[in-house]
């Protein structure tokens, strides 16, 4: 199993090496040097928004998967 995980990591690393760097990384690094990024995150809880969005997306996605399965077995039209 460990060999398989290492193999997947090496393939993912090769794929990611072809992708370009983020154009936003220098901007985010310069903002973090100013020191007020924590205050902005305190006022606008981005992490909480992301968690709520993940839960909402998984609920909606589960609903659509359930509907597709029901249509597949012809229980719902």
């Amino acid at each position: 199993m460990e060999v398989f995980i290492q193999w997947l990591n090496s393939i993912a690393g090769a794929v990611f090496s072809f992708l370009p760097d983020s154009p936003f990384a220098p901007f985010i690094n310069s903002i973090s040097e100013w020191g007020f990024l924590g205050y902005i995150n305190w006022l606008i809880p981005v992490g909480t928004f992301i968690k709520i969005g993940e839960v909402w997306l998984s609920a909606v996605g589960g609903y659509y998967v359930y509907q597709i399965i029901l249509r597949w077995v012809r229980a719902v039209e």
Side-chain angles (χ1 to χ4, degrees):
M1 187 66 168
E2 184 69 29
V3 174
F4 181 70
I5 292 173
Q6 290 176 352
W7 180 73
L8 282 178
N9 284 337
S10 65
I11 289 177
V15 169
F16 288 143
S17 68
F18 289 112
L19 297 174
D21 293 333
S22 173
F24 304 107
F27 177 70
I28 292 172
N29 290 338
S30 68
I31 288 177
S32 65
E33 290 174 1
W34 296 340
F36 65 87
L37 192 60
Y39 297 116
I40 293 173
N41 195 28
W42 183 76
L43 290 172
I44 304 169
V46 177
T48 304
F49 289 163
I50 291 172
K51 290 175 188 174
I52 291 170
E54 287 176 351
V55 171
W56 179 83
L57 189 61
S58 64
V60 171
Y63 171 77
Y64 280 118
V65 167
Y66 182 68
Q67 288 295 318
I68 289 169
I69 291 171
L70 287 179
R71 286 186 183 140
W72 185 59
V73 296
R74 310 242 188 246
V76 174
E77 290 198 27

